[in-house]
Amino acid sequence: MLEAFFRKLEQRDVLNSDERAVLTAAFDPVPKSYPAGSDLVTEGSRPSSSTLVLSGFTTRYRLLEDGKRQITAVHVPGDFVDLPSFLLKVMDHAVGALSPVTVATVPHANLRRITEGYPHLGRMLWFMTLLDSSILREWVVGMGRRTAPEHLAHFICEMVVRLRIAGLADLSFDLPLTQMELGDALGLSAVHINRTLQELRSEHLFTWEGQRIEVLDWDRLKSRARFDPLYLHLEREPR
Amino acid sequence: MLEAFFRKLEQRDVLNSDERAVLTAAFDPVPKSYPAGSDLVTEGSRPSSSTLVLSGFTTRYRLLEDGKRQITAVHVPGDFVDLPSFLLKVMDHAVGALSPVTVATVPHANLRRITEGYPHLGRMLWFMTLLDSSILREWVVGMGRRTAPEHLAHFICEMVVRLRIAGLADLSFDLPLTQMELGDALGLSAVHINRTLQELRSEHLFTWEGQRIEVLDWDRLKSRARFDPLYLHLEREPR
DNA sequence: CGTTATGTTGATTCAGATCAAGAGCGGTGG
DNA sequence: CCACCGCTCTTGATCTGAATCAACATAACG
């Protein structure tokens, strides 16, 4: 059930079997499911447990008064969607399902017990939230200082690497994002996403049909995006 | 020495005198100073201690190959500049001094001991990093979906609140950022910052002379920015 | 005091938004 | 089973916010 999560942890640090057992036991035994488009967590709520994605894709987003939306994260299997709520108490953004998803929940009380009895695990959970902010920083760089094609190419590079860690992609993978959602993530209009996508496709960097992406030339895609995976902190995998 | 830091913590949670003592003891006894413009931490380095701002302003930034710069955070007294390096190991960005600064350092080994012996303190440190990412999320929203004047006004609102917590501002305060640096923070050009600043000044929302800002109409500034401080998680202070 | 950073202004260009309309398609209910 | 409705994708035309380029003023500074 937690394979993708363990893969993600083990990409960065050693996890002994005791710790695996403690983590596994901390989760509620029965997974939950949500349909595409539904909200797992709403802005302003005060969750009493945190949620880990087992399958499917979710997104953090904020809605502005004028109806505009900004997506601040896309989560894949193995990612926590709302670990911050363990300490931040009130959700300052919502989390929605981009596809049908199944998730596992951990009561905050159990997380607290982990930080008290298993400091190393506590640090690993802390690490997961730091990784999220590292990714967020890279998004800021993309929004502020990269052109639309670079930014979009960068996003795809990131998804390739993250999905590879989750064991879900090599150079071909499903990405259940509409062009509108992609625009909301990259801070661009859907129309411009459409044209930028065409530009990159015409450079034969990847194909994107339906929800399926196939990377045709990983090296050229990386250099088009000026992608440097340092910020993903894959310590145990040589760059 | 650590007043601003304690104020920041106590804005969100209770800290007993034991914990205060433990924290104080964890820091190296003698503060360091850096001149404006110098780097406290460089990209690619592996710090063995983390740094807390005592006085002055610092910034996280990334330099791109083409010379563009993106600032991803501005830190004020009481903020950690590189707490993530405790767990992320390799710095994926640099930290520079925006003004002359004094800082206190904590060896990572001491932080580790805190997470092992004082889980509540460990969670408070974790909390600090979550607050950083919450702020970062708001920056993403600003860059993606707010207009330049809104974004800039929002930034000023944020600084007012954060400096107030640090005990350094009411509605008048120093902000040692050049227009170029502001541009690098908001993802705009210096020229456009200049014009946007003039626009907001002409609305009599604030004055900005030299490095001194004075907010003239806090309510109108907030509504101009559509500023909602929820993301700053001032749990113990009623909104 | 020259010298270098910073702020200001104007002219021009350009990336990306907005507006509008049609095409494909997938689901739903009569 | 098919007509219809609502998304999503696509395309073209136009507009605009912000970048860029260039010059100069002013302030800070060794």
Side-chain angles (χ1 to χ4, degrees):
Chain A
M1 181 167 115
L2 302 175
E3 298 80 34
F5 179 49
F6 288 142
R7 283 182 64 117
K8 189 179 170 187
L9 291 173
E10 282 165 351
Q11 201 74 38
R12 281 88 175 192
D13 198 355
V14 182
L15 192 65
N16 67 40
S17 61
D18 244 33
E19 293 175 322
R20 265 172 184 266
V22 168
L23 274 179
T24 307
F27 281 88
D28 295 318
V30 10
K32 287 187 196 168
S33 296
Y34 293 85
S38 62
D39 278 341
L40 319 209
V41 193
T42 55
E43 189 174 330
S45 65
R46 295 171 165 270
S48 58
S49 29
S50 286
T51 302
L52 178 80
V53 182
L54 300 178
S55 71
F57 289 68
T58 63
T59 180
R60 287 185 209 282
Y61 67 93
R62 293 243 295 113
L63 246 24
L64 302 189
E65 300 83 337
D66 57 5
K68 286 185 174 137
R69 180 166 80 145
Q70 179 64 47
I71 286 177
T72 58
V74 170
H75 288 136
V76 307
D79 292 338
F80 266 103
V81 307
D82 62 348
L83 194 45
S85 73
F86 167 45
L87 296 176
L88 251 26
K89 305 292 187 322
V90 180
M91 289 295 293
D92 55 34
H93 60 272
V95 178
L98 288 167
S99 68
V101 290
T102 60
V103 301
T105 51
V106 213
H108 287 168
N110 291 357
L111 291 176
R112 193 194 168 100
R113 240 169 271 132
I114 285 176
T115 65
E116 296 185 339
Y118 301 86
H120 178 239
L121 280 182
R123 288 193 300 268
M124 281 175 99
L125 292 172
W126 184 358
F127 177 94
M128 293 291 116
T129 65
L130 291 174
L131 199 52
D132 258 30
S133 35
S134 187
I135 290 171
L136 205 50
R137 268 196 297 276
E138 198 63 29
W139 282 34
V140 168
V141 174
M143 300 182 80
R145 294 300 184 222
R146 280 193 247 264
T147 63
E150 279 169 8
H151 190 18
L152 178 49
H154 199 282
F155 177 77
I156 293 170
C157 289
E158 180 183 309
M159 292 316 289
V160 168
V161 174
R162 290 174 56 198
L163 287 169
R164 203 185 278 155
I165 291 168
L168 292 172
D170 193 16
L171 290 177
S172 174
F173 57 98
D174 282 314
L175 192 65
L177 282 170
T178 64
Q179 296 185 1
M180 218 195 92
E181 287 160 342
L182 204 45
D184 286 339
L186 305 188
L188 299 167
S189 71
V191 172
H192 199 60
I193 289 288
N194 185 284
R195 296 193 230 251
T196 306
L197 225 30
Q198 289 180 48
E199 183 182 336
L200 293 177
R201 277 190 295 226
S202 77
E203 295 173 25
H204 305 290
L205 297 171
F206 54 82
T207 59
W208 188 325
E209 281 158 22
Q211 325 232 278
R212 187 115 199 127
I213 298 182
E214 182 166 3
V215 174
L216 299 176
D217 191 333
W218 175 238
D219 286 335
R220 264 179 48 238
L221 182 61
K222 275 196 302 188
S223 73
R224 183 73 229 256
R226 293 187 286 167
F227 179 74
D228 176 350
L230 177 60
Y231 74 104
L232 293 171
H233 295 273
L234 304 167
E235 306 276 318
R236 306 187 68 199
E237 189 182 54
R239 272 211 277 166
Chain B
M1 181 168 115
L2 301 175
E3 300 78 35
F5 179 51
F6 288 143
R7 283 182 65 116
K8 189 178 171 188
L9 290 173
E10 281 165 353
Q11 202 73 36
R12 281 87 174 190
D13 198 354
V14 183
L15 192 64
N16 66 40
S17 60
D18 243 33
E19 292 176 322
R20 264 171 184 268
V22 168
L23 273 179
T24 307
F27 281 88
D28 294 319
V30 11
K32 287 188 195 168
S33 296
Y34 293 86
S38 63
D39 277 342
L40 319 207
V41 193
T42 55
E43 189 174 331
S45 65
R46 295 170 165 269
S48 59
S49 28
S50 286
T51 301
L52 179 79
V53 182
L54 299 178
S55 71
F57 289 68
T58 62
T59 180
R60 287 184 208 284
Y61 67 92
R62 292 241 297 114
L63 246 24
L64 301 189
E65 300 83 338
D66 57 5
K68 285 184 175 140
R69 180 166 80 146
Q70 179 64 47
I71 286 178
T72 58
V74 170
H75 287 136
V76 308
D79 292 339
F80 266 103
V81 308
D82 63 347
L83 194 45
S85 73
F86 168 45
L87 296 175
L88 251 26
K89 307 292 188 323
V90 180
M91 288 296 293
D92 55 33
H93 60 272
V95 178
L98 289 169
S99 67
V101 290
T102 60
V103 302
T105 51
V106 214
H108 287 169
N110 291 358
L111 291 176
R112 193 192 169 103
R113 242 169 270 132
I114 285 177
T115 65
E116 297 187 338
Y118 302 87
H120 177 240
L121 280 182
R123 287 193 300 269
M124 282 177 99
L125 293 172
W126 184 358
F127 178 94
M128 293 293 115
T129 65
L130 291 173
L131 199 53
D132 257 29
S133 35
S134 188
I135 290 171
L136 204 53
R137 268 196 296 278
E138 198 63 28
W139 282 33
V140 168
V141 174
M143 300 181 81
R145 295 300 185 224
R146 280 193 246 265
T147 63
E150 279 170 9
H151 190 18
L152 178 49
H154 199 282
F155 177 77
I156 293 170
C157 288
E158 181 184 308
M159 292 316 289
V160 169
V161 174
R162 289 174 55 198
L163 286 169
R164 204 184 278 155
I165 291 168
L168 292 173
D170 192 17
L171 289 178
S172 174
F173 57 98
D174 282 314
L175 193 63
L177 281 171
T178 65
Q179 296 185 0
M180 217 196 95
E181 288 161 342
L182 245 193
D184 286 340
L186 305 189
L188 299 167
S189 70
V191 172
H192 199 59
I193 289 287
N194 185 285
R195 296 194 230 252
T196 306
L197 225 31
Q198 290 180 47
E199 184 183 335
L200 293 177
R201 277 192 292 225
S202 78
E203 295 173 24
H204 305 291
L205 297 170
F206 54 82
T207 60
W208 188 327
E209 282 158 20
Q211 325 232 279
R212 187 118 199 123
I213 297 182
E214 181 165 4
V215 175
L216 299 176
D217 190 333
W218 174 238
D219 285 335
R220 265 177 49 238
L221 182 61
K222 275 197 302 189
S223 74
R224 183 73 228 257
R226 293 186 287 166
F227 178 74
D228 176 350
L230 177 60
Y231 74 102
L232 293 171
H233 295 274
L234 304 168
E235 306 276 318
R236 305 188 69 196
E237 188 181 55
R239 269 212 280 162

